[in-house]
Amino acid sequence: PDDGPHLSETSNPIHPTMSTLHASLAQRRAETPSDDPRLCYAVANAVAAVTFTTWKTGVWVLPWIHFLGAHHVAHAKGERIAFVFAHHEITAEGIALAMLMPEIAATRLSALREVPERFAADMPAGEPCVLRLVIKSRMDLAGGAIGGSDSVS
């Protein structure tokens, strides 16, 4: 009598035809310049620059030597961190962002990545989640955003 597949007969637990979304997320994680498994941020020692990655509009690498300061504020819809660099201002909005302030203060933050809101529920509980990144050039007198979910080309 056949009582089903035995352990030696089972295939690899990772099915070769994984969903498109799973494949896309796996590819994005593989392309991340850090081996830190967290999706929204990465930290390391001796970081020379921080990489800001928006979901659709690009990647900015800014040297910590140009960092002037950061400000965290909690509001009704979540949290916000404003980063000020010599030539850029970056606004990160999301949840549990206060946890990043010690890493920012010690210049250990190596990457911050925007995640579309529809994927926020998949983030590990209690981990920071960046739902929106806006990058502005301080040289741009018009003040138009050059990155993030509401960017202007």
Side-chain angles (χ1 to χ4, degrees), residues 28-105:
R28 287 187 67 81
R29 285 185 184 123
E31 292 171 355
T32 301
S34 170
D35 56 5
D36 193 323
R38 292 171 283 213
L39 185 61
C40 286
Y41 72 102
V43 295
N45 290 323
V47 176
V50 60
T51 302
F52 295 94
T53 304
T54 63
W55 184 250
K56 293 182 180 180
T57 60
V59 177
W60 287 262
V61 178
L62 300 175
W64 277 115
I65 197 166
H66 289 186
F67 179 65
L68 301 175
H71 177 253
H72 172 267
V73 65
H75 51 82
K77 295 181 181 179
E79 299 176 40
R80 177 178 39 239
I81 297 177
F83 296 81
V84 180
F85 287 83
H87 302 289
H88 294 84
E89 291 182 12
I90 293 88
T91 303
E93 294 182 0
I95 53 176
L97 300 181
M99 294 173 54
L100 298 175
M101 292 303 284
E103 307 301 342
I104 295 165

Side-chain angles (χ1 to χ4, degrees), residues 8-30:
S8 61
E9 297 172 352
T10 59
S11 63
N12 188 329
I14 300 175
H15 196 273
T17 57
M18 73 173 109
S19 72
T20 304
L21 174 60
H22 188 258
S24 175
L25 289 174
Q27 180 181 357
R28 287 187 67 81
R29 285 185 184 123

